[in-house]
Amino acid sequence: MENKYYTELKGVLTDYLTTLKLRKTDERYAIFEQICLFSSHFDISMLHERLNLTNFHVSKATLYNTLDILLAADLIVKHQFTAKSIQYELKVVAETHSHLICTNCGSVREVRDSSLKKDIKNLKISRFTPMFHMLYIYGICSKCKYKIQKNNNKGNTKQ
Ligand SMILES: [Zn+2]
Ligand SMILES: [Zn+2]
């Protein structure tokens, strides 16, 4: 399976590790390779599972350490969608969409927003150079909305 992002971005990781005189370990590259295969956000246990499936067993400490390096290298972003859930995403992937977050169940959906992207790019901002943006839209997902409506209806018929 071709890993387009890994092919494109592997060099950025190498440059970063070289500049900071950090070790270029197989683990770090293997972790980044798996991250590049996610087409969406992921959490630490999803990543751990993927690595185990490819028979690459790394400790959680190594995982966290590598994620910190990738964050500092600007290759991935960290999302805190809700108080409980921390997720990561390849930066070039995260830039392609916005996130719709249900405040009731915490589910996260992605939505493409090319017109919004254009608007933000055209914003005239003084004394600031925009690099990238992340947009979170909070609301109620259709499943929760359905449940809430159903509960409301029940309450009404009882009376
Ligand atoms: Zn995403
Ligand atoms: Zn919901």
Side-chain angles (χ1 to χ4, degrees):
M1 186 165 134
E2 198 218 356
N3 192 338
K4 182 172 79 102
Y5 290 130
Y6 185 65
T7 312
E8 268 172 38
L9 298 167
K10 199 180 163 186
V12 179
L13 178 59
T14 301
D15 288 347
Y16 184 81
L17 295 173
T18 308
T19 310
L20 282 154
K21 295 192 173 68
L22 294 166
R23 285 186 302 128
K24 298 181 190 74
T25 61
D26 290 347
E27 282 92 352
R28 285 173 178 164
Y29 283 95
I31 291 167
F32 186 52
E33 193 177 354
Q34 285 310 308
I35 287 175
C36 288
L37 288 173
F38 279 102
S39 56
S40 176
H41 44 269
F42 57 89
D43 63 20
I44 196 111
S45 56
M46 284 161 77
L47 179 59
H48 207 215
E49 208 172 287
R50 278 244 183 139
L51 284 156
N52 282 337
L53 283 175
T54 56
N55 272 320
F56 213 97
H57 303 285
V58 294
S59 67
K60 284 252 164 127
T62 305
L63 263 191
Y64 278 113
N65 170 275
T66 305
L67 287 171
D68 280 344
I69 290 171
L70 296 173
L71 280 166
D74 224 17
L75 286 165
I76 61 169
V77 292
K78 192 179 187 172
H79 297 296
Q80 174 120 35
F81 293 128
T82 63
K84 280 176 280 176
S85 103
I86 290 177
Q87 309 247 359
Y88 299 87
E89 192 165 30
L90 196 65
K91 192 170 163 193
V92 287
V93 171
E95 278 175 337
T96 62
H97 52 259
S98 296
H99 296 92
L100 306 177
I101 303 152
C102 177
T103 53
N104 193 56
C105 70
S107 69
V108 182
R109 219 178 90 199
E110 294 175 339
V111 64
R112 302 210 171 245
D113 56 351
S114 50
S115 62
L116 255 176
K117 255 188 123 138
K118 238 180 260 161
D119 285 347
I120 291 171
K121 219 177 170 182
N122 292 333
L123 269 183
K124 302 252 180 298
I125 309 170
S126 62
R127 286 165 299 173
F128 186 79
T129 310
M131 311 283 273
F132 72 98
H133 74 273
M134 282 297 133
L135 190 68
Y136 298 157
I137 305 169
Y138 291 88
I140 302 285
C141 75
S142 56
K143 260 189 204 164
C144 288
K145 199 175 172 185
Y146 176 74
K147 262 190 229 155
I148 291 164
Q149 270 170 351
K150 226 171 111 186
N151 281 341
N152 282 348
N153 287 341
K154 250 190 225 157
N156 288 341
T157 48
K158 260 180 210 157
Q159 280 165 4

